[in-house]
């Protein structure tokens, strides 16, 4: 769990510094915030999020977008492979941060360590 607590630390964005936080955990799932943007060109802001892990290494990140919509991003072995959107999902790794893009303009910054298997 220490690894997860350390993963939700200060994050940097080229435009603005954002903070991912951990406000609670049950040892498997965690509540906190992640930097996100819901539309193309929007600035990143702190969005409430819940990371739910399964024993098989899969995880779901549920993010409450500024629009009021909840976006689920599904991971297998730490890699995002789909979402609750029908739009294309892609990602890139920048240092310790995984940046996830869902067309046409959603952006999420996730600490890679938060997605590592326990």
């Amino acid at each position: 769990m220490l690894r997860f607590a350390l993963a939700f630390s200060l994050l940097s964005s080229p435009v603005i510094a954002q903070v991912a936080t951990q406000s609670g955990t049950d040892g498997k799932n965690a509540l906190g915030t992640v930097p996100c943007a819901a539309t193309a060109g929007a600035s990143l802001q702190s969005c409430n999020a819940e990371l739910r892990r399964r024993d098989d290494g899969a995880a779901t990140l549920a993010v409450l977008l500024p629009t009021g919509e909840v976006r689920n991003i599904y991971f297998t072995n730490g890699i995002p492979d789909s979402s609750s959107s029908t739009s294309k999902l892609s990602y890139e790794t920048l240092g310790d941060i995984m940046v996830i893009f869902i067309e046409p303009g959603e952006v999420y910054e996730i600490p890679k360590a938060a997605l590592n298997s326990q």
Side-chain angles (χ1 to χ4, degrees):
M1 184 64 338
L2 179 59
R3 180 180 340 156
F4 185 74
L6 293 174
F8 276 71
S9 59
L10 289 178
L11 301 178
S12 295
S13 168
V15 177
I16 185 171
Q18 295 291 315
V19 177
T21 66
Q22 177 185 356
S23 61
T25 183
D26 65 2
K28 187 172 184 178
N29 302 315
L31 298 173
T33 61
V34 296
C36 80
T39 56
S43 297
L44 290 175
Q45 55 187 295
S46 186
C47 297
N48 291 323
E50 178 183 13
L51 180 64
R52 298 181 296 250
R53 296 176 173 276
R54 295 196 328 235
D55 291 334
D56 64 359
T60 300
L61 180 69
V63 181
L64 178 60
L65 298 170
T67 60
E69 181 180 7
V70 174
R71 175 68 64 230
N72 290 308
I73 302 171
Y74 306 105
F75 296 84
T76 303
N77 297 318
I79 304 298
D81 51 19
S82 63
S83 77
S84 57
S85 172
T86 58
S87 297
K88 180 182 174 188
L89 178 145
S90 61
Y91 73 95
E92 63 183 41
T93 302
L94 302 172
D96 294 335
I97 304 300
M98 179 180 292
V99 182
I100 301 169
F101 306 95
I102 300 176
E103 293 183 1
E106 294 178 31
V107 179
Y108 306 87
E109 290 187 352
I110 314 299
K112 289 189 320 185
L115 301 169
N116 291 340
S117 299
Q118 293 183 1

